[in-house]
Amino acid sequence: MVEKMVSRIRSLGAKKLSYADRLVLVNSVLNTLHNYWSGIFLIPKCVVKRIEAICRNYLWDGSADFHRVPSVHIKGRSWHDYQPPPDVSWSWKNVCKVKELIKDAYIEDQWAPDSNGFTIRRCYEWLRHRAAPQIWAPVVCNSWNVPKHSLITWISMNNGLNTRAKLASFGYCQEQLCCICESSTENQEHLFFQCEYSQRVLQEIKQWCGFRVDVTMAGLGISGTSMKGLKQQVHCQLWTSCHYHIWFERNNARLNAVITPPIKLAERITAEAKTRILSKIGSSICGQDGVWLRKWNCMVT
């Protein structure tokens, strides 16, 4: 039985399979062979272990014989007190980081948050509820937003955009001036809040919609308190749209040395906003919201 399994693995086709294909082969062929023989004979324990080793080696290495020494991280030590050395892999460091996060959930080695015991789902829910809610989450994750606008804004809120200042801190960029105005260091605070180009774009949008679209964190307070209903939804949509298009123009200036005039960019943003509004409400809205939208030429007559 072992020879038959090894011969299957050593065949020419089996060596060229991908990881997913090897997994299918192990489950559908090798394990089936094992189950067939198990129904006829009582297989010795040493043979079962050999079969498991063959399947495991083939799945991970593509060969029946595994010559590499596996990594041993914990041996004879307590998992709760274990600290990863600096030369381990990124994935193992993240596993250990999660271990540190869930330490508080254990009392005398027992999972405390749920009497039914530990599961991955319960652990995830416990970690998710412990995290402090972000003030920008309802605005960024809004159904009125264009998905790609929400994505760029989400990255921006997590300080993940590769501005020149950030790239310079990694040693990948020597020039740190803003790609658009070339007057100050290009970081997220300057690009969205202080750059003259961004301020002119926001001023043009204000003239169109009648209220200030504040892309700072204070703008989140505006959308959450003083604005309600339709105006709040539109403000969220414009808020994320401005982040996306300003970042788009920054990349356009950096890669193509082309900058769209602020008036033209504001027109593009407002045109997208009109299309988004119409797709959400159609022509059935009335009352004060209807009057408000007619001033923007957003109503279908």
Side-chain angles (χ1 to χ4, degrees):
M1 178 175 61
V2 172
E3 289 176 353
K4 284 181 177 292
M5 296 182 74
V6 172
S7 65
R8 292 289 183 94
I9 291 173
R10 288 176 178 171
S11 64
L12 182 62
K15 292 181 180 179
K16 297 182 179 180
L17 296 178
S18 65
Y19 174 83
D21 293 331
R22 293 200 299 268
L23 180 61
V24 172
L25 180 62
V26 168
N27 290 332
S28 61
V29 179
L30 301 184
N31 282 341
T32 304
L33 238 124
H34 175 203
N35 294 336
Y36 172 77
W37 283 84
S38 299
I40 303 174
F41 301 106
L42 215 60
I43 301 178
K45 187 177 181 180
C46 61
V47 177
V48 174
K49 288 186 175 181
R50 174 61 178 156
I51 292 170
E52 290 177 350
I54 290 172
C55 293
R56 181 176 61 249
N57 296 342
Y58 174 65
L59 179 64
W60 292 106
D61 198 47
S63 172
D65 301 315
F66 195 72
H67 303 289
R68 292 182 295 176
V69 178
S71 299
V72 178
H73 295 295
I74 303 174
K75 188 175 182 180
R77 288 182 287 177
S78 171
W79 166 239
H80 290 290
D81 299 329
Y82 171 81
Q83 295 295 328
D87 59 342
V88 297
S89 65
W90 172 86
S91 57
W92 181 247
K93 286 181 180 178
N94 277 275
V95 170
C96 296
K97 188 182 296 183
V98 174
K99 181 262 296 185
E100 293 295 327
L101 291 175
I102 65 175
K103 265 186 176 181
D104 296 338
Y106 278 91
I107 300 176
E108 297 181 356
D109 293 335
Q110 296 294 324
W111 178 253
D114 196 311
S115 59
N116 294 322
F118 174 88
T119 64
I120 296 296
R121 179 176 180 178
R122 291 172 189 147
C123 179
Y124 171 76
E125 290 294 332
W126 183 80
L127 288 171
R128 187 170 66 88
H129 289 302
R130 289 185 76 234
Q134 298 290 345
I135 187 176
W136 46 262
V139 179
V140 175
C141 303
N142 190 290
S143 61
W144 282 53
N145 301 345
V146 178
K148 61 181 179 181
H149 297 175
S150 292
L151 175 61
I152 294 299
T153 308
W154 177 78
I155 296 174
S156 172
M157 291 297 100
N158 286 281
N159 196 29
L161 296 179
N162 288 328
T163 59
R164 279 183 165 179
K166 186 174 183 179
L167 292 175
S169 67
F170 298 150
Y172 293 126
C173 181
Q174 300 297 326
E175 181 62 58
Q176 297 190 41
L177 291 179
C178 176
C179 295
I180 298 178
C181 67
E182 297 183 346
S183 61
S184 299
T185 301
E186 185 189 88
N187 50 37
Q188 288 191 180
E189 182 178 359
H190 167 78
L191 188 62
F192 295 113
F193 312 147
Q194 300 171 357
C195 182
E196 181 182 356
Y197 180 84
S198 303
Q199 292 177 356
R200 290 180 61 187
V201 171
L202 295 174
Q203 184 61 32
E204 292 293 332
I205 294 175
K206 177 184 176 181
Q207 293 179 3
W208 173 73
C209 65
F211 58 79
R212 180 188 177 195
V213 178
D214 190 350
V215 295
T216 64
M217 296 301 288
L220 295 171
I222 293 175
S223 62
T225 56
S226 60
M227 292 185 182
K228 301 296 180 183
L230 179 63
K231 286 187 179 182
Q232 185 183 36
Q233 301 285 7
V234 173
H235 185 272
C236 294
Q237 195 273 327
L238 289 172
W239 198 79
T240 56
S241 182
C242 288
H243 274 84
Y244 172 83
H245 283 286
I246 291 173
W247 180 246
F248 182 90
E249 290 303 318
R250 178 267 180 197
N251 291 335
N252 202 24
R254 170 69 180 84
L255 300 175
N256 303 318
V258 176
I259 302 176
T260 304
I263 296 178
K264 294 293 184 182
L265 181 58
E267 290 176 354
R268 186 189 306 166
I269 294 173
T270 54
E272 283 187 354
K274 290 179 182 180
T275 303
R276 198 68 177 171
I277 292 169
L278 289 173
S279 68
K280 290 293 182 180
I281 64 173
S283 59
S284 59
I285 197 166
C286 59
Q288 292 184 350
D289 288 338
V291 175
W292 183 55
L293 290 177
R294 286 189 183 92
K295 293 180 180 178
W296 295 6
N297 297 321
C298 288
M299 292 294 292
V300 177
T301 57

